[in-house]
Amino acid sequence: MRFEVHQVLDAIERRLSTDPAVARAVLDLSEVVRYADLDNTRPANLLRLGMVVDALARHLAEEEVQVYAVAGRTLLSDGDLTSNERMRIRSWSDDGLVEVLPDLADRVLEVADLTGLPVLTRSRYDGLRDRYPWLATEPGRLLTPAPGAGGAVLIARGAGGSGRPGAAAALVMSRLWRCPERGCASFGDPGAPAGNFDDTFAHLRGGTGPGVKRRPGSQPPPRLKAGTPVCPRHDSRLSDAGPRPAAQAVSVRVDGVLKRRFVVTAGQPVVVGRSPDDPDSVMLGHMLDEDARSWISRRHLRLELRGEALYVTDTSTNGTVVKRGGGEFTLRRDQSHVLGPDDVLELFEGVELARAGHWSSGGSIQPASVMTEAPTIAMRLNLR
């Protein structure tokens, strides 16, 4: 049973990201682990994070959604969590997958303000509406987790909001920042492993080395103090490391269901296919049926961002269909095309790629759950 719980935490780990380009919502992990009415078990339970992730996936009708989790450092010594849970949260923090901060303050709202992400919360934040006016004007950006079908549901408060980032985002999100603290999991060296979690415990989270390699150009938003960017982890003033590379999020849809999103960064081409061997590639094989797997090439196409233009180059045996407007055409091997804002790439019937946001979320699908391996009794035991 202990192994099954670790499997669930491994599945949850794959849904964590502090990359604003792929995260679909921000939450206070300290708050979520205490939603006792979701499972009626012990006061604090890290598996509740998986229930909320599943609820977000159903709410958006999208597979493999990722969340931006923030927590105060006191969570690492919370006696209501098991020792294994506290160790796992520490490893996530060391790997840069979640933010564990000495002073949580209003960090969740600040992240939402700078990125435009919705907030998964039961808090009202009434005292912060002057600082964050969208709390009053865009109440739909607050999504409340509640008990419901499938374990948890999300209830939007009021009408849906626009989700536009706040005014400060134009500056801070267009630059790269560096923290003076060595090995900072949020603002350390680009492309380096985030964090310094010891290999000794890597097997507990399915890892193979110290830390998780970040996407180049991927950074969480800094904390702003009197307009000055500081590291939320270390409270150190950040130095400006130059412009942030341009990036474009892309969505994968299979048989009408949004499966996942990934990011193409300037200077970092991304290969998409059935089973490409590039470390930063996008593998589709596990999403496909037998016919699609036999048609789609191992390395089917390459996406590359040059300035604001997103280029697609076919590298397949059978070609890639480009759908635009009322027509379509086929790219053959080594042919390239600049992907328009409404263009859709079809690798096989029903297997499509497009710029993120082209397909609207919503529907009645039942995305695969991260809680599949969680036995009911494991939710009730205080495993140590």
Side-chain angles (χ1 to χ4, degrees), residues 3-158:
F3 177 70
E4 290 172 318
V5 172
H6 285 311
Q7 284 186 305
V8 176
L9 293 177
D10 288 343
I12 293 172
E13 179 176 301
R14 291 190 286 271
R15 302 297 188 86
L16 302 175
S17 179
T18 55
D19 184 347
V22 297
R24 302 291 274 133
V26 58
L27 58 83
D28 177 355
L29 182 58
S30 309
E31 180 185 17
V32 168
V33 299
R34 292 192 171 277
Y35 290 159
D37 59 332
L38 294 184
D39 53 34
N40 297 313
T41 64
R42 46 194 173 86
N45 192 330
L46 188 55
L47 295 185
R48 290 177 190 136
L49 174 59
M51 299 177 72
V52 173
V53 169
D54 281 351
L56 180 64
R58 290 191 294 269
H59 182 79
L60 297 177
E62 182 176 337
E63 300 266 11
E64 300 187 20
V65 295
Q66 294 184 290
V67 297
Y68 189 130
V70 183
R73 189 173 291 170
T74 55
L75 192 63
L76 299 178
S77 57
D78 191 328
D80 288 329
L81 293 171
T82 69
S83 58
N84 287 333
E85 288 172 326
R86 294 193 299 270
M87 184 174 66
R88 184 60 73 107
I89 295 170
R90 183 180 295 277
S91 78
W92 290 344
S93 175
D94 288 346
D95 286 348
L97 297 175
V98 304
E99 285 186 359
V100 176
L101 313 178
D103 179 19
L104 183 60
D106 60 345
R107 178 61 176 167
V108 172
L109 295 184
E110 181 177 54
V111 170
D113 188 53
L114 294 172
T115 63
L117 293 173
V119 182
L120 306 183
T121 183
R122 292 181 178 178
S123 300
R124 294 183 56 85
Y125 300 118
D126 289 335
L128 294 170
R129 292 175 184 266
D130 288 341
R131 182 171 181 179
Y132 301 104
W134 52 266
L135 286 169
T137 61
E138 303 174 26
R141 283 176 63 185
L142 298 182
L143 303 175
T144 301
V153 296
L154 297 180
I155 302 171
R157 305 181 196 173

Side-chain angles (χ1 to χ4, degrees), residues 19 26 65 150 232 235 257-258 261 275-276 280 321 359 384:
D19 184 347
V26 58
V65 295
D235 202 31
V257 177
L258 290 173
R261 63 173 53 200
S275 58
D280 299 319
V321 175
W359 294 301
R384 294 187 183 275

